[in-house]
Amino acid sequence: LVSVRAGDKVPCDGVVFEGKSTIDESSLTGESKPVSKSPGMRVSGGTINAGNTQLIVKTTATSNNSAVARLIRLIEDAQLNRGDTEMLVDSFAKIYTPIVVLAALGMCTIPWAFGTEVGKTWAKNGLITIVSRRRKPLFVELCALFRALSLYSIMF
């Protein structure tokens, strides 16, 4: 049995043995409203006793088998098992992004060697190119490219 005072985190998954309080489960579920818990109801490790009373919790799982641990394992597995499209986009971005950044920096810096007026003009043009790209920001073009790549991978 574990005692969870008001404001404390529940240390591991369990069942409320004694007491009645509200538990903030937003760290697991995203639900912003605390949930009322009373004896016999399940609580998850990592949640917070948001009420004013103490809960006595009978643990049902170790920290390695808790809901938080399972959630972390699922996220890690999802990150390891990336799709073909995601890997293709990443490999493209590794080449495309540095080229665009270097070109923009070159546009903004190199012309200063040819004089102040030339430098001001090209710095302005370089910044406009980076930000607007002819009324279409660079990230909008990248989003369109990624969407096209994902549609391509779905069709073939």
Side-chain angles (χ1 to χ4, degrees):
L1 295 177
V2 178
S3 172
V4 183
R5 293 178 302 187
D8 285 350
K9 281 189 178 181
V10 177
C12 53
D13 292 355
V15 177
V16 176
F17 184 74
E18 182 181 312
K20 183 176 181 180
S21 189
T22 54
I23 299 288
D24 179 4
E25 296 179 336
S26 61
S27 60
L28 288 179
T29 64
E31 177 65 43
S32 60
K33 187 176 178 185
V35 179
S36 180
K37 298 290 183 175
S38 56
M41 298 181 81
R42 297 176 86 51
V43 291
S44 297
T47 57
I48 298 171
N49 183 356
N52 296 325
T53 58
Q54 173 180 310
L55 290 176
I56 305 295
V57 177
K58 182 179 180 186
T59 60
T60 58
T62 63
S63 59
N64 292 336
N65 296 327
S66 68
V68 174
R70 287 191 307 269
L71 183 64
I72 290 170
R73 279 195 296 272
L74 284 172
I75 291 170
E76 288 173 346
D77 289 346
Q79 288 175 342
L80 291 175
N81 299 324
R82 296 175 28 186
D84 293 338
T85 304
E86 198 173 359
M87 291 190 300
L88 176 66
V89 167
D90 281 348
S91 64
F92 178 78
K94 284 179 185 175
I95 297 167
Y96 179 76
T97 304
I99 290 172
V100 170
V101 169
L102 288 174
L105 286 173
M107 250 175 113
C108 292
T109 57
I110 294 172
W112 286 95
F114 300 104
T116 306
E117 287 302 315
V118 174
K120 285 181 182 178
T121 303
W122 277 96
K124 177 182 159 189
N125 290 338
L127 291 173
I128 289 171
T129 300
I130 292 169
V131 175
S132 68
R133 298 271 301 184
R134 286 181 240 113
R135 295 190 185 136
K136 188 190 282 187
L138 179 62
F139 70 89
V140 172
E141 289 184 10
L142 288 174
C143 289
L145 173 68
F146 296 155
R147 183 170 182 227
L149 286 172
S150 65
L151 288 174
Y152 175 80
S153 69
I154 289 170
M155 289 190 300
F156 298 102

